[in-house]
Amino acid sequence: MEQPLSWSREGETLLLSGELDQDFLNPLWDARDQAMRGVSRIDLQGISRVDTAGIALLVHLIAEGRQQGQEVTLSGASDNVWTLAQLYNLPQDVLPR
């Protein structure tokens, strides 16, 4: 069953849940500037599925946080996230743990 992507804030943490894939990520993409204000951690514990478009969005969210002066890390990421990052030869600092 498909679960649309949703997000919320808890202090400096952006909590994502649902599916982080091409079918559901556009609303977060459109809100990325506001969603990343003051965020130093993106929690992926609630993500049930991720595809390459989701990885691309994570890269952009981290870059957006850095442009706003924050060092952003990921937590709760599944093995699938790290496998996709390795398949695309992404440097470790692009998706920091």
Side-chain angles (χ1 to χ4, degrees):
M1 184 172 155
E2 294 183 346
Q3 297 176 330
L5 178 65
S6 64
W7 66 93
S8 62
R9 290 280 302 270
E10 217 173 78
E12 292 186 353
T13 300
L14 180 66
L15 301 160
L16 302 182
S17 62
E19 296 185 20
L20 185 57
D21 66 17
Q22 67 181 357
D23 295 331
F24 296 114
L25 59 76
N26 283 336
L28 181 53
W29 173 260
D30 293 341
R32 68 190 177 280
D33 179 56
Q34 183 179 3
M36 288 304 294
R37 289 191 195 274
V39 168
S40 62
R41 183 168 70 108
I42 301 172
D43 186 329
L44 303 175
Q45 189 71 34
I47 294 296
S48 59
R49 182 178 181 285
V50 64
D51 68 4
T52 56
I55 295 296
L57 177 60
L58 289 175
V59 168
H60 283 283
L61 290 176
I62 290 167
E64 181 68 37
R66 287 179 177 158
Q67 285 181 345
Q68 295 177 15
Q70 296 282 357
E71 280 305 312
V72 181
T73 60
L74 297 178
S75 67
S78 68
D79 289 341
N80 188 37
V81 169
W82 304 121
T83 299
L84 287 171
Q86 287 176 339
L87 287 172
Y88 283 99
N89 249 354
L90 296 178
Q92 191 171 21
D93 67 332
V94 173
L95 290 178
R97 295 180 189 225

